[in-house]
Amino acid sequence: MNTKILHTLEFGKIIRRLANHAETSLGKAQAEALHPSSDLETVKLLLRATDEAAKVDRLKGGAPFGGIRDIRPSLQRARIGGMLNAAELLDIANTTFGGRRLKRFLLAVHESDPIASLVAVTETIADHTEVDQPIKACIDDQADVMDSASPELARVRVELRTSESRARDKLEQMIRTSSIQKMLQDSLITIRNDRYVIPVKSEYRSHFGGIIHDQSASGATLFIEPEAVVTLNNKLRELKMKEEKEIEKILLRLTSIVAEHHEMLGYSVEGIAELDFVFAKAGLARELKATLPMMNDRGFLKIKKGRHPLIAPEAVVPLDIELGNQFTTIIVTGPNTGGKTVSLKTTGLLSLMAMSGLFIPAEDGSQLCVFDAIYADIGDEQSIEQNLSTFSSHLTNIISILKGMTPKSLVLLDELGAGTDPSEGSALAIAILEEIHRLGCRTIATTHYSELKAYAFERKGIINASMEFNVQTLSPTYRLLVGVPGRSNAFAIAERLGLPRRIIDTARGQVGEDDLRVESMIASLEANRATAEAERRNAEQQRAEIEAVKRQLEDEQRRFREQRDKLLVRAEQEARDAVAKARAEADEVIRELRRLALEERGAVKEHKLIDAKRRLDQAAPELRAKDPQSAVKRKAERVEAGDEVRVVHLNQKGHVVELINDKEAMVQLGIMKVKVRHDQLEKLKSAPAAKPQQQVSATVKRTRDENVRTELDLRGANLEEAIMETDRFLDESFLNGFGQVYVIHGKGTGVLRTGLTEYFRKHKHIKSFRLGNYGEGGVGVTVVELK
């Protein structure tokens, strides 16, 4: 990409704004070196990185770059054997620490929101604790070497502070003496040439021995080192030299560590610089309210509501333009100051930004092309020194463009053919456009020549466009209208400004009939366009309203589903709690029955069984009917003593023992007799011929009942259901005095058999169990022996 186009389209101003968003000098340097790329894959990678940085900037408010410095000069000096000072070493430690913090931050973001491109850059940032930890252990945050940097330095500094204290004490004794105070200019101790001195009036010089180190500007004050402290000052000087020598050893040792790792440190700095540069692009995108463009190399360009980034947002008029699909050349006509040149510059500058990996200030869905070069002839480049006229300067630029352009180039031409005779200029403009169009370049040209309107109308692949002009206000709207050629508004403007009508009519008479038809056609096109625009805006408004209603309905459906799910979860939990409570109560009743069976030794009194049944009924969970009004009582069936029935609310089969009254009957359920209402009985089989009624005993013997079986078939049940059924079956078998029962679980995957085996091991009424033998069902049956 030639540098002239960057200057013409003011790309340098974008670079300066980009550099302002960099947090470090490293990022600023990369931003200032940014150059558009002509490789599609490279541009896509650059834009992907910018997109990820924009995501981090949006979610986390940017990345941390605090404490990072450009340490490359220090690394180079350490590599060639120079000694780094404490401040340089501290910058290196802070930079390596900042790099680690930046890497950890991006990796943490990557876990929840993938940013693969940025994470790939962090791979170049090493840990470097072997560098910054020794530096931090020796140098504090003010870039001073600490006493703990070495035992020798600590010893020297302790001795140095002791000697300084002695010297100051000696001088303070002197200046507090009344005979000496009158000889002093001020009663204070100061330092000259790293030695403690006192300010003495010049007339008392002979009263003091020692060394004069300085005097005031007026000569009235001499700074004298008294003989009493000369020895102490000498010792202080020696200790300071030792301190400096030890500090130099420490700095050399730390510098050697940096030199040893200078190559990896360099890679880390480059990675940090790259990340700072990428986040600077994200910052510029935020400032410009820019979006990610789609890129192609097919020469297709479609900008939606594009804004020139260097024009104030409140003043800029969005640009809609499409090029490279049905047509490859656009010829824009319209009045001066109508915005033609801004449209050219906006198209070119947004293309340069996208090819540099920058977001563009346009709506989502905008597409731009990666061109191998962008050429522009924009503005008046007349040169007095080179003796070039306006026409000559334009023609020189165009000749250069014609020599360098390729089918993958974008050509922007402003005021094509201007600066010479209109007839010759328009002919030359058509010839130039024909040559560029024949080559296949993407071209946008602006002109005032009406001849080019007809040329664009007749030539395939070329389309007219114009800058909209409001005749009512006599001002341009700066909107580009593709497909509508510009028309002259001279007569309308003249009439609104008050030019006499007869003059305007005379002028119209001078215009050819063909020109008038063209003007009429253009006016009709503009009217149709205005109508279509209004209808489109109306359709967009209706679509927006429909989408708003759709979103509202979707939100309501979502809230309904969430509420339904919450209610279902709550209902399921309540059901689980009720079942657990009922199960616990039932277990307690069963335990009580077992205890009674053992205590009674063969007979259980009926009132105890009735009490146990009542407790079982109370243990059943209470369920609310969905609609209380819809609960209709079951119609009572006529039953007789001996009828086989099903007790509806218990879902158990039994037979009627006796009829208590018109509403209730005594029903035998296994070993229990239960009093049941007639409306809860469902007749299954009528009683046989009536037999003499026998006296019913008040006790129930624990004898085998014909409804109780010695085998349980669990095939098809899951493990939880199987255990519940087995528990009930074993209780009934135990109460009926069975010694041996069979549990049929099938072969299958073995899950049911394994789970039941674990359950059998823990059951207190099981004496032993085994798998079935041949003829008993084999491994698909477990034979259980009860106690």
Side-chain angles (χ1 to χ4, degrees):
M1 195 70 64
N2 62 79
T3 56
K4 183 179 179 181
I5 189 65
L6 303 181
H7 172 73
T8 301
L9 298 178
E10 301 177 283
F11 187 67
K13 294 181 179 180
I14 300 296
I15 294 298
R16 286 192 288 275
R17 292 176 69 170
L18 174 64
N20 290 336
H21 285 279
E23 297 286 342
T24 69
S25 58
L26 297 166
K28 290 182 185 296
Q30 281 218 5
E32 291 167 355
L34 179 62
H35 206 73
S37 172
S38 297
D39 181 69
L40 178 61
E41 293 305 317
T42 300
V43 172
K44 285 183 176 180
L45 289 174
L46 294 173
L47 286 172
R48 187 181 305 140
T50 306
D51 188 36
E52 291 178 1
K55 181 198 295 185
V56 176
D57 186 71
R58 184 174 63 255
L59 296 176
K60 304 294 182 181
F65 287 94
I68 295 174
R69 301 287 184 273
D70 186 359
I71 60 174
R72 287 174 294 186
S74 299
L75 296 179
Q76 180 64 16
R77 196 141 47 83
R79 186 184 68 82
I80 62 177
M83 185 185 77
L84 303 180
N85 60 39
E88 291 172 321
L89 289 167
L90 182 61
D91 283 345
I92 291 173
N94 288 336
T95 298
T96 56
F97 175 78
R100 280 201 307 276
R101 180 180 56 196
L102 175 63
K103 183 174 183 177
R104 286 196 302 268
F105 170 81
L106 294 177
L107 290 176
V109 174
H110 182 62
E111 291 179 359
S112 56
D113 298 282
I115 46 173
S117 298
L118 300 183
V119 170
V121 177
T122 64
E123 293 178 0
T124 63
I125 303 175
D127 193 62
H128 296 308
T129 52
E130 69 281 1
V131 175
D132 58 47
Q133 286 184 354
I135 294 175
K136 288 288 189 178
C138 297
I139 300 174
D140 62 18
D141 293 338
Q142 285 72 43
D144 295 323
V145 179
M146 296 184 290
D147 295 356
S148 58
S150 74
E152 177 63 17
L153 181 62
R155 186 193 64 78
V156 170
R157 283 184 171 173
V158 168
E159 190 174 351
L160 183 62
R161 283 190 283 270
T162 303
S163 298
E164 286 177 343
S165 178
R166 290 175 180 172
R168 293 184 66 89
D169 290 345
K170 187 71 174 176
L171 289 175
E172 285 177 357
Q173 289 177 5
M174 293 180 64
I175 64 177
R176 283 198 297 267
T177 303
S178 57
S179 59
I180 294 179
Q181 281 184 343
K182 65 181 181 180
M183 305 178 189
L184 301 178
Q185 198 71 270
D186 293 294
S187 296
L188 54 84
I189 301 169
T190 186
I191 296 176
R192 290 292 186 277
N193 300 325
D194 291 332
R195 301 177 76 88
Y196 286 105
V197 297
I198 55 177
V200 180
K201 295 177 182 178
S202 58
E203 58 267 26
Y204 294 105
R205 166 66 186 88
S206 58
H207 292 78
F208 277 87
I211 304 170
I212 299 175
H213 287 279
D214 198 6
Q215 68 177 5
S216 64
S218 62
T221 304
L222 301 176
F223 296 93
I224 298 176
E225 177 186 359
E227 291 181 359
V229 295
V230 169
T231 302
L232 290 174
N233 275 333
N234 288 340
K235 186 175 182 181
L236 283 174
R237 181 60 183 162
E238 292 175 4
L239 291 172
K240 287 184 179 180
M241 291 175 64
K242 287 182 179 181
E243 179 190 28
E244 291 173 359
K245 187 175 181 180
E246 185 60 26
I247 289 175
E248 184 176 345
K249 287 181 181 179
I250 293 168
L251 296 179
L252 285 172
R253 174 170 59 85
L254 296 176
T255 302
S256 67
I257 296 175
V258 173
E260 184 180 349
H261 297 87
H262 80 278
E263 188 172 0
M264 293 303 298
L265 286 167
Y267 292 147
S268 296
V269 169
E270 290 175 3
I272 294 171
E274 177 68 20
L275 290 172
D276 187 23
F277 167 59
V278 173
F279 276 95
K281 292 193 290 183
L284 180 64
R286 183 182 65 252
E287 176 192 346
L288 297 177
K289 297 180 180 178
T291 62
L292 173 67
M294 294 182 286
M295 302 301 297
N296 66 83
D297 57 357
R298 299 178 288 103
F300 179 66
L301 182 152
K302 184 176 183 179
I303 299 175
K304 297 181 178 180
K305 304 296 181 185
R307 307 179 303 278
H308 196 290
L310 301 179
I311 299 178
E314 62 275 7
V316 69
V317 177
L319 170 71
D320 289 289
I321 189 170
E322 181 176 333
L323 180 66
N325 191 3
Q326 297 179 351
F327 44 85
T328 59
T329 301
I330 298 177
I331 298 178
V332 185
T333 54
N336 288 329
T337 69
K340 298 191 301 296
T341 303
V342 172
S343 297
L344 288 182
K345 287 189 172 182
T346 300
T347 304
L349 184 55
L350 296 193
S351 296
L352 289 176
M353 291 175 65
M355 292 166 63
S356 303
L358 299 174
F359 281 16
I360 62 169
E363 285 188 354
D364 286 329
S366 295
Q367 294 192 50
L368 290 171
C369 175
V370 175
F371 298 103
D372 61 359
I374 298 178
Y375 298 98
D377 177 48
I378 298 175
D380 187 358
E381 298 186 9
Q382 176 175 294
S383 173
I384 296 176
E385 293 180 358
Q386 297 179 11
N387 194 27
L388 293 176
S389 66
T390 299
F391 176 75
S392 298
S393 65
H394 277 296
L395 195 57
T396 301
N397 285 338
I398 292 172
I399 292 172
S400 175
I401 292 171
L402 293 174
K403 290 180 179 178
M405 67 183 185
T406 73
K408 292 187 176 181
S409 299
L410 173 65
V411 179
L412 306 172
L413 302 174
D414 191 27
E415 300 295 345
L416 182 60
T420 187
D421 179 75
S423 60
E424 293 181 353
S426 61
L428 190 60
I430 291 174
I432 292 171
L433 285 175
E434 182 65 24
E435 174 65 17
I436 297 174
H437 181 67
R438 184 188 60 78
L439 187 61
C441 297
R442 273 42 180 174
T443 309
I444 305 176
T446 68
T447 182
H448 285 289
Y449 297 135
S450 59
E451 290 82 356
L452 269 69
K453 301 176 188 177
Y455 166 72
F457 184 76
E458 297 171 351
R459 191 69 166 84
K460 184 179 180 181
I462 302 179
I463 193 169
N464 276 305
S466 61
M467 304 307 299
E468 188 178 52
F469 188 85
N470 190 329
V471 181
Q472 303 299 321
T473 61
L474 300 180
S475 61
T477 64
Y478 304 104
R479 291 183 61 207
L480 179 66
L481 306 177
V482 178
V484 179
R487 66 188 182 100
S488 172
N489 295 290
F491 294 154
I493 294 173
E495 187 174 3
R496 283 187 59 82
L497 292 177
L499 188 67
R501 186 61 178 266
R502 64 179 182 280
I503 298 177
I504 294 174
D505 291 340
T506 302
R508 281 201 176 99
Q510 301 299 319
V511 178
E513 186 178 345
D514 291 343
D515 292 335
L516 289 175
R517 281 202 301 269
V518 170
E519 289 293 318
S520 176
M521 178 191 69
I522 294 174
S524 176
L525 287 173
E526 288 184 349
N528 292 336
R529 181 200 56 77
T531 302
E533 282 283 321
E535 291 178 353
R536 182 184 60 80
R537 286 193 296 270
N538 185 40
E540 288 180 351
Q541 180 179 358
Q542 290 180 359
R543 185 180 64 181
E545 293 173 356
I546 292 172
E547 289 179 351
V549 172
K550 180 182 176 183
R551 285 193 299 270
Q552 182 180 357
L553 289 175
E554 288 175 349
D555 289 342
E556 291 178 355
Q557 287 181 344
R558 177 181 52 79
R559 288 194 295 270
F560 170 76
R561 287 193 296 268
E562 291 175 354
Q563 185 67 19
R564 180 197 63 192
D565 292 342
K566 289 179 181 178
L567 291 174
L568 286 175
V569 170
R570 187 186 307 165
E572 289 174 359
Q573 184 61 44
E574 291 176 353
R576 281 194 293 269
D577 294 343
V579 169
K581 179 182 177 182
R583 185 177 295 163
E585 291 288 341
D587 290 343
E588 179 63 28
V589 170
I590 290 171
R591 282 194 294 271
E592 181 67 18
L593 286 174
R594 287 172 177 163
R595 186 183 63 79
L596 291 174
L598 292 175
E599 289 178 356
E600 297 293 335
R601 299 287 183 182
V604 180
K605 292 183 179 181
E606 185 178 9
H607 73 277
K608 293 183 178 180
L609 289 174
I610 293 173
D611 182 62
K613 172 61 177 63
R614 179 182 55 78
R615 291 169 61 194
L616 275 174
D617 290 341
Q618 291 175 350
E622 296 181 2
L623 301 176
R624 295 181 181 178
K626 292 183 179 179
D627 184 4
Q629 301 299 326
S630 66
V632 181
K633 289 187 177 181
R634 178 182 175 84
K635 183 177 179 181
E637 289 191 71
R638 181 65 180 175
V639 295
E640 301 291 343
D643 286 348
E644 185 177 351
V645 295
R646 183 173 69 86
V647 181
V648 176
H649 68 289
L650 296 178
N651 195 23
Q652 293 289 330
K653 294 180 181 180
H655 63 272
V656 178
V657 176
E658 63 173 327
L659 298 178
I660 300 175
N661 51 45
D662 294 338
K663 295 182 179 180
E664 293 179 315
M666 186 66 68
V667 180
Q668 183 80 39
L669 296 176
I671 64 171
M672 295 185 295
K673 287 182 179 179
V674 182
K675 187 186 297 183
V676 184
R677 295 197 313 273
H678 288 185
D679 60 1
Q680 291 295 326
L681 295 176
E682 180 181 336
K683 185 188 294 186
L684 299 178
K685 188 166 61 177
S686 299
K691 295 181 180 179
Q693 188 174 3
Q694 299 178 355
Q695 181 71 28
V696 180
S697 173
T699 62
V700 177
K701 297 291 184 179
R702 285 194 303 126
T703 58
R704 298 185 183 180
D705 190 272
E706 61 180 2
N707 292 322
V708 181
R709 298 170 297 161
T710 60
E711 66 180 29
L712 174 64
D713 191 349
L714 299 173
R715 288 174 293 184
N718 59 38
L719 182 58
E720 184 178 1
E721 294 172 348
I723 290 176
M724 292 175 61
E725 290 294 328
T726 304
D727 187 75
R728 186 183 304 115
F729 172 68
L730 292 177
D731 289 337
E732 292 175 356
S733 300
F734 178 79
L735 291 173
N736 281 278
F738 292 151
Q740 181 174 287
V741 293
Y742 299 84
V743 179
I744 304 171
H745 43 67
K747 299 177 182 179
T749 60
V751 174
L752 195 56
R753 181 178 67 249
T754 304
L756 289 172
T757 299
E758 292 297 320
Y759 168 76
F760 292 150
R761 287 197 180 100
K762 300 175 182 177
H763 203 287
K764 63 181 180 180
H765 292 304
I766 294 178
K767 183 177 181 181
S768 63
F769 63 94
R770 61 177 174 80
L771 292 175
N773 295 323
Y774 181 79
E776 292 180 325
V779 295
V781 175
T782 297
V783 182
V784 180
E785 185 178 356
L786 300 174
K787 294 180 180 178

